[in-house]
mmCIF file of all heavy atoms in Angstrom:
data_model
loop_
_atom_site.group_PDB
_atom_site.id
_atom_site.type_symbol
_atom_site.label_atom_id
_atom_site.label_comp_id
_atom_site.label_asym_id
_atom_site.label_seq_id
_atom_site.Cartn_x
_atom_site.Cartn_y
_atom_site.Cartn_z
ATOM 1 N N ARG A 203 44.829 7.342 133.141
ATOM 2 C CA ARG A 203 44.022 7.460 131.922
ATOM 3 C C ARG A 203 42.840 6.513 131.938
ATOM 4 O O ARG A 203 41.922 6.585 131.124
ATOM 5 C CB ARG A 203 44.873 7.156 130.663
ATOM 6 C CG ARG A 203 45.179 5.697 130.465
ATOM 7 C CD ARG A 203 45.683 5.380 129.119
ATOM 8 N NE ARG A 203 45.955 3.928 129.009
ATOM 9 C CZ ARG A 203 46.610 3.380 127.995
ATOM 10 N NH1 ARG A 203 47.089 4.119 127.034
ATOM 11 N NH2 ARG A 203 46.819 2.071 128.004
ATOM 12 N N ASP A 204 42.821 5.518 132.881
ATOM 13 C CA ASP A 204 41.852 4.468 132.906
ATOM 14 C C ASP A 204 41.138 4.400 134.225
ATOM 15 O O ASP A 204 41.080 3.283 134.858
ATOM 16 C CB ASP A 204 42.526 3.126 132.521
ATOM 17 C CG ASP A 204 41.550 1.973 132.405
ATOM 18 O OD1 ASP A 204 40.339 2.236 132.146
ATOM 19 O OD2 ASP A 204 41.975 0.823 132.571
ATOM 20 N N HIS A 205 40.666 5.507 134.731
ATOM 21 C CA HIS A 205 39.856 5.583 135.997
ATOM 22 C C HIS A 205 40.642 5.040 137.199
ATOM 23 O O HIS A 205 39.989 4.677 138.223
ATOM 24 C CB HIS A 205 38.569 4.766 135.828
ATOM 25 C CG HIS A 205 37.638 5.277 134.754
ATOM 26 N ND1 HIS A 205 37.013 6.500 134.915
ATOM 27 C CD2 HIS A 205 37.314 4.769 133.556
ATOM 28 C CE1 HIS A 205 36.275 6.668 133.767
ATOM 29 N NE2 HIS A 205 36.427 5.637 132.970
ATOM 30 N N GLY A 206 41.945 4.965 137.156
ATOM 31 C CA GLY A 206 42.696 4.453 138.301
ATOM 32 C C GLY A 206 42.967 2.970 138.292
ATOM 33 O O GLY A 206 43.620 2.466 139.196
ATOM 34 N N HIS A 207 42.440 2.253 137.328
ATOM 35 C CA HIS A 207 42.624 0.773 137.215
ATOM 36 C C HIS A 207 44.119 0.423 137.172
ATOM 37 O O HIS A 207 44.880 0.951 136.317
ATOM 38 C CB HIS A 207 41.982 0.250 135.948
ATOM 39 C CG HIS A 207 40.552 -0.023 136.116
ATOM 40 N ND1 HIS A 207 40.041 -1.175 136.678
ATOM 41 C CD2 HIS A 207 39.435 0.706 135.728
ATOM 42 C CE1 HIS A 207 38.712 -1.141 136.705
ATOM 43 N NE2 HIS A 207 38.285 -0.031 136.100
ATOM 44 N N GLU A 208 44.545 -0.448 138.033
ATOM 45 C CA GLU A 208 45.899 -1.009 138.015
ATOM 46 C C GLU A 208 45.958 -2.206 137.042
ATOM 47 O O GLU A 208 47.100 -2.616 136.742
ATOM 48 C CB GLU A 208 46.349 -1.471 139.378
ATOM 49 C CG GLU A 208 46.630 -0.328 140.369
ATOM 50 C CD GLU A 208 47.260 -0.833 141.641
ATOM 51 O OE1 GLU A 208 46.471 -1.182 142.563
ATOM 52 O OE2 GLU A 208 48.483 -0.787 141.726
ATOM 53 N N ASN A 209 44.857 -2.672 136.545
ATOM 54 C CA ASN A 209 44.858 -3.913 135.725
ATOM 55 C C ASN A 209 45.587 -5.011 136.408
ATOM 56 O O ASN A 209 46.487 -5.635 135.818
ATOM 57 C CB ASN A 209 45.357 -3.550 134.312
ATOM 58 C CG ASN A 209 44.357 -2.832 133.511
ATOM 59 O OD1 ASN A 209 43.223 -3.255 133.298
ATOM 60 N ND2 ASN A 209 44.738 -1.590 133.081
ATOM 61 N N ASN A 210 45.266 -5.243 137.676
ATOM 62 C CA ASN A 210 45.867 -6.270 138.456
ATOM 63 C C ASN A 210 45.508 -7.631 137.923
ATOM 64 O O ASN A 210 44.322 -7.997 137.837
ATOM 65 C CB ASN A 210 45.403 -6.101 139.912
ATOM 66 C CG ASN A 210 46.185 -6.963 140.904
ATOM 67 O OD1 ASN A 210 46.579 -8.094 140.581
ATOM 68 N ND2 ASN A 210 46.373 -6.421 142.103
ATOM 69 N N PRO A 211 46.475 -8.468 137.532
ATOM 70 C CA PRO A 211 46.151 -9.766 136.928
ATOM 71 C C PRO A 211 45.505 -10.749 137.884
ATOM 72 O O PRO A 211 44.937 -11.743 137.475
ATOM 73 C CB PRO A 211 47.536 -10.278 136.446
ATOM 74 C CG PRO A 211 48.500 -9.548 137.349
ATOM 75 C CD PRO A 211 47.943 -8.236 137.604
ATOM 76 N N ASN A 212 45.524 -10.438 139.166
ATOM 77 C CA ASN A 212 44.951 -11.319 140.175
ATOM 78 C C ASN A 212 43.461 -11.093 140.380
ATOM 79 O O ASN A 212 42.839 -11.829 141.182
ATOM 80 C CB ASN A 212 45.711 -11.137 141.507
ATOM 81 C CG ASN A 212 47.168 -11.538 141.421
ATOM 82 O OD1 ASN A 212 47.502 -12.525 140.819
ATOM 83 N ND2 ASN A 212 48.006 -10.712 141.993
ATOM 84 N N PHE A 213 42.903 -10.110 139.703
ATOM 85 C CA PHE A 213 41.491 -9.760 139.905
ATOM 86 C C PHE A 213 40.828 -9.519 138.534
ATOM 87 O O PHE A 213 41.447 -8.970 137.615
ATOM 88 C CB PHE A 213 41.327 -8.476 140.736
ATOM 89 C CG PHE A 213 41.808 -8.659 142.145
ATOM 90 C CD1 PHE A 213 43.132 -8.381 142.509
ATOM 91 C CD2 PHE A 213 40.986 -9.091 143.171
ATOM 92 C CE1 PHE A 213 43.589 -8.478 143.776
ATOM 93 C CE2 PHE A 213 41.413 -9.241 144.445
ATOM 94 C CZ PHE A 213 42.738 -8.935 144.798
ATOM 95 N N PRO A 214 39.493 -9.803 138.451
ATOM 96 C CA PRO A 214 38.789 -9.389 137.253
ATOM 97 C C PRO A 214 38.625 -7.909 137.250
ATOM 98 O O PRO A 214 38.749 -7.246 138.319
ATOM 99 C CB PRO A 214 37.407 -10.073 137.437
ATOM 100 C CG PRO A 214 37.226 -10.324 138.906
ATOM 101 C CD PRO A 214 38.660 -10.574 139.422
ATOM 102 N N ARG A 215 38.348 -7.306 136.120
ATOM 103 C CA ARG A 215 38.321 -5.850 136.035
ATOM 104 C C ARG A 215 37.329 -5.237 136.976
ATOM 105 O O ARG A 215 37.596 -4.153 137.605
ATOM 106 C CB ARG A 215 37.992 -5.397 134.577
ATOM 107 C CG ARG A 215 37.984 -3.895 134.395
ATOM 108 C CD ARG A 215 37.924 -3.502 132.945
ATOM 109 N NE ARG A 215 37.818 -2.062 132.795
ATOM 110 C CZ ARG A 215 38.841 -1.176 132.762
ATOM 111 N NH1 ARG A 215 40.092 -1.629 132.954
ATOM 112 N NH2 ARG A 215 38.625 0.129 132.584
ATOM 113 N N GLY A 216 36.177 -5.868 137.213
ATOM 114 C CA GLY A 216 35.198 -5.334 138.118
ATOM 115 C C GLY A 216 35.626 -5.287 139.599
ATOM 116 O O GLY A 216 34.964 -4.603 140.409
ATOM 117 N N ARG A 217 36.664 -5.981 139.906
ATOM 118 C CA ARG A 217 37.189 -5.979 141.296
ATOM 119 C C ARG A 217 38.637 -5.533 141.322
ATOM 120 O O ARG A 217 39.387 -5.810 142.241
ATOM 121 C CB ARG A 217 37.052 -7.378 141.897
ATOM 122 C CG ARG A 217 35.593 -7.857 141.985
ATOM 123 C CD ARG A 217 35.496 -9.169 142.680
ATOM 124 N NE ARG A 217 35.991 -9.069 144.081
ATOM 125 C CZ ARG A 217 36.285 -10.107 144.815
ATOM 126 N NH1 ARG A 217 36.254 -11.347 144.333
ATOM 127 N NH2 ARG A 217 36.722 -9.955 146.083
ATOM 128 N N ASP A 218 39.052 -4.849 140.282
ATOM 129 C CA ASP A 218 40.413 -4.414 140.094
ATOM 130 C C ASP A 218 40.884 -3.543 141.308
ATOM 131 O O ASP A 218 40.085 -2.823 141.919
ATOM 132 C CB ASP A 218 40.559 -3.652 138.824
ATOM 133 C CG ASP A 218 42.035 -3.513 138.365
ATOM 134 O OD1 ASP A 218 42.917 -4.159 138.958
ATOM 135 O OD2 ASP A 218 42.294 -2.760 137.408
ATOM 136 N N THR A 219 42.188 -3.547 141.557
ATOM 137 C CA THR A 219 42.742 -2.715 142.568
ATOM 138 C C THR A 219 43.067 -1.320 142.045
ATOM 139 O O THR A 219 43.115 -1.065 140.846
ATOM 140 C CB THR A 219 44.027 -3.343 143.138
ATOM 141 O OG1 THR A 219 44.926 -3.617 142.021
ATOM 142 C CG2 THR A 219 43.717 -4.661 143.838
ATOM 143 N N HIS A 220 43.299 -0.372 143.000
ATOM 144 C CA HIS A 220 43.607 0.987 142.568
ATOM 145 C C HIS A 220 44.385 1.675 143.690
ATOM 146 O O HIS A 220 44.380 1.300 144.840
ATOM 147 C CB HIS A 220 42.301 1.772 142.324
ATOM 148 C CG HIS A 220 41.253 1.619 143.439
ATOM 149 N ND1 HIS A 220 41.372 2.272 144.615
ATOM 150 C CD2 HIS A 220 40.150 0.835 143.497
ATOM 151 C CE1 HIS A 220 40.337 1.923 145.390
ATOM 152 N NE2 HIS A 220 39.597 1.043 144.706
ATOM 153 N N ARG A 221 45.194 2.710 143.275
ATOM 154 C CA ARG A 221 45.949 3.460 144.288
ATOM 155 C C ARG A 221 45.850 4.947 144.099
ATOM 156 O O ARG A 221 46.218 5.753 144.974
ATOM 157 C CB ARG A 221 47.410 3.030 144.286
ATOM 158 C CG ARG A 221 48.088 3.134 142.876
ATOM 159 C CD ARG A 221 49.565 2.767 142.967
ATOM 160 N NE ARG A 221 50.127 2.725 141.634
ATOM 161 C CZ ARG A 221 51.417 2.889 141.378
ATOM 162 N NH1 ARG A 221 52.266 3.104 142.378
ATOM 163 N NH2 ARG A 221 51.875 2.850 140.174
ATOM 164 N N ILE A 222 45.403 5.417 142.909
ATOM 165 C CA ILE A 222 45.144 6.836 142.629
ATOM 166 C C ILE A 222 43.804 6.989 141.977
ATOM 167 O O ILE A 222 43.237 6.059 141.470
ATOM 168 C CB ILE A 222 46.222 7.446 141.743
ATOM 169 C CG1 ILE A 222 46.194 6.755 140.354
ATOM 170 C CG2 ILE A 222 47.601 7.366 142.349
ATOM 171 C CD1 ILE A 222 46.998 7.446 139.266
ATOM 172 N N HIS A 223 43.253 8.242 142.107
ATOM 173 C CA HIS A 223 42.078 8.497 141.332
ATOM 174 C C HIS A 223 42.453 8.632 139.890
ATOM 175 O O HIS A 223 43.603 8.859 139.563
ATOM 176 C CB HIS A 223 41.393 9.805 141.813
ATOM 177 C CG HIS A 223 42.070 11.031 141.334
ATOM 178 N ND1 HIS A 223 43.222 11.536 141.917
ATOM 179 C CD2 HIS A 223 41.747 11.893 140.313
ATOM 180 C CE1 HIS A 223 43.582 12.643 141.260
ATOM 181 N NE2 HIS A 223 42.735 12.879 140.315
ATOM 182 N N GLY A 224 41.510 8.469 139.005
ATOM 183 C CA GLY A 224 41.785 8.570 137.588
ATOM 184 C C GLY A 224 40.764 9.326 136.812
ATOM 185 O O GLY A 224 39.917 10.038 137.392
ATOM 186 N N PHE A 225 40.862 9.193 135.501
ATOM 187 C CA PHE A 225 39.903 9.813 134.628
ATOM 188 C C PHE A 225 39.823 8.964 133.376
ATOM 189 O O PHE A 225 40.614 8.003 133.238
ATOM 190 C CB PHE A 225 40.338 11.275 134.252
ATOM 191 C CG PHE A 225 39.234 12.168 133.902
ATOM 192 C CD1 PHE A 225 38.325 12.675 134.844
ATOM 193 C CD2 PHE A 225 39.105 12.571 132.582
ATOM 194 C CE1 PHE A 225 37.286 13.494 134.490
ATOM 195 C CE2 PHE A 225 38.019 13.401 132.228
ATOM 196 C CZ PHE A 225 37.144 13.883 133.165
ATOM 197 N N ASN A 226 38.922 9.247 132.460
ATOM 198 C CA ASN A 226 38.845 8.500 131.236
ATOM 199 C C ASN A 226 39.495 9.296 130.090
ATOM 200 O O ASN A 226 38.921 10.116 129.485
ATOM 201 C CB ASN A 226 37.415 8.180 130.851
ATOM 202 C CG ASN A 226 37.334 7.357 129.553
ATOM 203 O OD1 ASN A 226 38.338 7.009 128.932
ATOM 204 N ND2 ASN A 226 36.095 7.003 129.146
#
Side-chain angles (χ1 to χ4, degrees):
R203 75 165 181 191
D204 185 23
H205 299 291
H207 277 278
E208 289 188 274
N209 285 301
N210 190 325
N212 298 316
F213 294 91
R215 183 169 174 84
R217 298 184 62 196
D218 196 10
T219 54
H220 47 77
R221 55 177 175 157
I222 62 169
H223 78 281
F225 205 73
N226 182 0

